[in-house]
Amino acid sequence: AQKVTQAQTEISVVEKEDVTLDCVYETRDTTYYLFWYKQPPSGELVFLIRRNSFDEQNEISGRYSWNFQKSTSSFNFTITASQVVDSAVYFCALSEAGDYKLSFGAGTTVTVRA
Amino acid sequence: GAVVSQHPSWVICKSGTSVKIECRSLDFQATTMFWYRQFPKQSLMLMATSNEGSKATYEQGVEKDKFLINHASLTLSTLTVTSAHPEDSSFYICSAGVHQSNQPQHFGDGTRLSIL
C-alpha cells in the first residue's frame, strides 16, 4: 500500500510565485518521521527537513515553510517567491518507528520559469 | 554535516559485465546502509537494507543473487550488479545512518549505470 502520496506530478510556475507541494501519508504507528528532499537535475538528494510525529509546529526556513497537520495526515511544503534554482523534483518521505527505512512518495517536479 | 561518498558516479559497460558500486560514510560509522534504485522520472525504490556484519535484507521482488550487497565495515557498503543487462540500467543511490540514533539518513550522490 502506498504510504506516501504526492498527488501533484508536475507544477510549473513563473519566478516569484509561491508554490505549495502536497504530501499525504498513511501509517498506523504513533511515532514516525516525515521528510522532504530535493533532487535537482544532477541527481543528488538534498535533505530539506525532518519532522517527528509529536511535533506539529509549522516550520519556516528562509523561503521554505512546512505545514504538518496530523488530523489530515498531511505534511505540505511551500516555496515562497520561487526562483529558477528551485526547479527540481521534490520528494516527501516517511519513516516509521523502529524501522528506519524511508518510503518515498512519487515526487513532484517543480519547474520555475524566469 | 555528515558526508556519504558514492563511487563511481557514472558507469557504462557491456551487457554481461558485473559492476561494483561503493558507498562510504566519510565522517561517521554507519550501522545501517540502504540501497535504492531510481528509474527515469520515477521515485526511489528501496532495494535492500544492509547492516554491518550481517546479511542484507532485500525488499520483495529484488533478486539477491543479482544484486550482491556487502557491508563489511562501518564505513563501507558495496552493491555489485552481477551479469548486468540493459534492464538493469538505472540510477542507484545509497544512504547511510546509525539506526536508533535519532539522526536522518545521509545520501550519496548516486551512480548512473548504463548497460549497453
Side-chain angles (χ1 to χ4, degrees):
Chain A
Q2 184 82 17
K3 292 185 178 180
V4 179
T5 302
Q6 294 179 255
Q8 304 147 306
T9 305
E10 295 184 20
I11 299 177
S12 181
V13 297
V14 177
E15 214 170 12
K16 298 184 182 179
E17 288 185 356
D18 297 347
V19 56
T20 295
L21 310 180
D22 298 334
C23 174
V24 175
Y25 62 93
E26 179 184 335
T27 180
R28 294 182 180 178
D29 286 1
T30 55
T31 303
Y32 52 89
Y33 293 94
L34 295 164
F35 302 78
W36 276 97
Y37 288 90
K38 173 182 179 181
Q39 187 177 42
S42 50
E44 74 275 18
L45 276 182
V46 179
F47 169 79
L48 297 179
I49 190 171
R50 182 184 70 162
R51 173 67 72 210
N52 76 55
S53 53
F54 298 106
D55 183 2
E56 284 194 77
Q57 282 191 342
N58 292 330
E59 182 159 340
I60 298 175
S61 177
R63 295 184 296 107
Y64 295 167
S65 62
W66 291 270
N67 184 311
F68 177 27
Q69 293 197 347
K70 289 178 73 171
S71 60
T72 56
S73 297
S74 65
F75 186 43
N76 297 338
F77 171 35
T78 297
I79 303 172
T80 302
S82 60
Q83 300 176 0
V84 173
V85 293
D86 296 327
S87 297
V89 181
Y90 291 86
F91 290 99
C92 180
L94 167 73
S95 174
E96 293 170 320
D99 199 353
Y100 205 40
K101 296 191 294 187
L102 286 172
S103 296
F104 284 87
T108 298
T109 301
V110 173
T111 302
V112 181
R113 309 185 308 276
Chain B
V3 177
V4 173
S5 173
Q6 191 171 337
H7 178 80
S9 57
W10 190 40
V11 59
I12 301 175
C13 58
K14 294 180 179 180
S15 184
T17 306
S18 292
V19 179
K20 180 184 284 188
I21 303 170
E22 293 187 347
C23 181
R24 294 181 183 272
S25 56
L26 298 183
D27 55 358
F28 70 102
Q29 294 185 322
T31 57
T32 305
M33 290 187 174
F34 299 92
W35 287 96
Y36 297 84
R37 180 167 57 183
Q38 184 181 29
F39 291 111
K41 298 189 183 299
Q42 295 189 22
S43 186
L44 282 79
M45 297 302 296
L46 180 65
M47 299 175 65
T49 303
S50 168
N51 292 301
E52 187 267 339
S54 62
K55 291 184 178 180
T57 301
Y58 290 82
E59 296 299 302
Q60 191 173 10
V62 178
E63 300 176 58
K64 61 180 181 182
D65 294 330
K66 174 75 171 178
F67 300 99
L68 300 179
I69 292 173
N70 183 281
H71 190 168
S73 77
L74 285 171
T75 59
L76 174 65
S77 177
T78 59
L79 167 67
T80 301
V81 184
T82 62
S83 187
H85 293 285
E87 58 267 28
D88 298 321
S89 299
S90 188
F91 186 62
Y92 294 86
I93 189 166
C94 72
S95 70
V98 181
H99 192 31
Q100 297 181 337
S101 70
N102 201 36
Q103 295 299 314
Q105 301 171 25
H106 302 279
F107 283 84
D109 286 346
T111 298
R112 295 192 187 279
L113 175 62
S114 295
I115 309 297
L116 304 178

